[in-house]
Amino acid sequence: MQYFITMCVYLLMVFNPVMTNITEDIEVLVFLPKNNSYLFSYARVAPAILYAQRRLETVGGQYSGFHFNIQFENSDCVNDAAFKLVDRSCGKKPDLILGPVCEYEAAAVVRLASHWNIPVISAGALAAGFSNKNTEFSHLTRIAPSYVKMAETFTAMFEHFTWKTALLVYEDDKEERNCYFALEGVYHLMVDFNIKTHALSQEDRLDTEDIIQNMYDTEVVIMCMGADKIREIMLDAHRRQLTNGNYIFFNVELFNVSSYGNGSWKRGDQYDNEARQAYASLNTVTLLRTVKPEFENFSMEMKKSSEKEGFHDCKDCGSVNMFVEGFHDAMLLYAIALHEAMKNGYSKKNGTEITSHMWNRTFEGIAGQVSMDFNGDRYGDFSLMAMTNVEAGTYEVVANYFGVNGTFQLLPAFNTDHFTLRGRHKAHTKIPDKSCGLGVSALTGVIVGAVLGTAMLIAFYFFR
């Protein structure tokens, strides 16, 4: 009997891949900008990636046999990353690419990486066009919720409150174009509603008159732009008595940072009291924030790392935003997928197999559960904030949207009257398309640019 038990234990150890100690050296190429004006700069994100590396390589851990050789390269949101990747192709290609974030730069890198069978994980590349993973973006995994995932929050609200029309107002900087791509996701997902758009140039003076005129035949106004411009629009709308319940106002707070309109009305000027009253009608859609204890520890470590490195030109480099969290979780997700693939007999060079193990799964990230859909895009959880104390001018989270099951959680502070349109009884008519470019996928330019960029890279590679 003892012999039989010993043989069973031996066979279990030999043939059970879970108990096999897997070791592998992994080359990781990371594209992050050195310029700290980007919310995903090296100073902000690199400490999170290195933190994840230390956790994964902890002795005795499930992934301690993985040794990550991480190389950071500059990303300028134009061509730097693609040129660096081509240069690397002359020698040893990376096993994993993290980044880039910016849409136009990511398009070229992902196309090349997919052709070379290299997995790419990014907390960026959030535009709608990257959702097509059938061909050139086949190896892209998006570890942060895409703009289309954010748009699902608005679709759910429109269906719940039976709103029919909306005006999308966005600021376009012609570089990162975050607000442009964000509201493109809303525009394309909400095809069953009457939507029109109004674009603002970052360089031009804000013309609130034109925006107000566009509001009159809509019910809902969704804005994405800097906080100061949001305030100007809300003040003008309030002075014209448009904040009395006849319109519903939203602003989109991108990436859990205050660089975009974040519901902040107070400036310490003569208009504060008026702005507070105006903002009683402004609601904010933002990423759901976590209260997980482990996340608090992570946040403290990021702050310490920033102070230790002495990033004096970056006041908020120790803060955790969507990109910091996302790139940390990217390391975990890759380790899980690689471990599973290698257990099944595949090598680290089989990017297609590893990528497939990253999709359609749930794992525990630094801020809580991370769920990836069948297309390699992270489900998004978002919060709806509204002013609940007009006298104090304070906001609370009144509802949460959970993307994995498409449900709304109404919190005790939720007030149905606040989201009910008043005095709007006229029939809805079809609004002419004034999309200023959102009607045609904004990523058409990305794809065309990527094709041209790839051609230039190939020419550069062969004829230099």
Side-chain angles (χ1 to χ4, degrees), residues 378-422:
R378 179 176 179 168
Y379 285 107
D381 296 334
F382 297 88
S383 292
L384 174 61
M385 301 181 70
M387 186 180 288
T388 54
N389 186 329
V390 180
E391 292 301 316
T394 54
Y395 274 71
E396 287 184 69
V397 175
V398 298
N400 292 318
Y401 174 79
F402 300 100
V404 70
N405 51 23
T407 59
F408 254 119
Q409 174 194 38
L410 301 182
L411 301 178
F414 185 86
N415 183 351
T416 302
D417 290 341
H418 180 78
F419 296 95
T420 302
L421 289 165
R422 300 171 194 155

Side-chain angles (χ1 to χ4, degrees), residues 301-357:
E301 287 297 320
M302 294 303 98
K303 186 175 182 180
K304 289 178 183 177
S305 296
S306 179
E307 292 172 351
K308 183 179 178 181
E309 293 295 329
F311 295 121
H312 303 298
D313 63 333
C314 186
K315 294 180 181 179
D316 63 343
C317 273
S319 301
V320 176
N321 59 38
M322 181 188 81
F323 302 110
V324 176
E325 174 192 335
F327 278 110
H328 170 278
D329 291 349
M331 291 285 289
L332 303 186
L333 178 58
Y334 177 79
I336 294 168
L338 177 62
H339 190 264
E340 289 182 356
M342 293 186 72
K343 281 195 308 180
N344 293 334
Y346 296 96
S347 80
K348 66 178 182 179
K349 292 300 182 183
N350 194 323
T352 302
E353 183 67 22
I354 295 167
T355 298
S356 71
H357 282 276

Side-chain angles (χ1 to χ4, degrees), residues 128-146:
F130 285 105
S131 300
N132 184 359
K133 307 284 184 70
N134 293 327
T135 53
E136 64 263 30
F137 305 133
S138 61
H139 284 51
L140 173 64
T141 300
R142 298 195 282 186
I143 196 65
S146 70

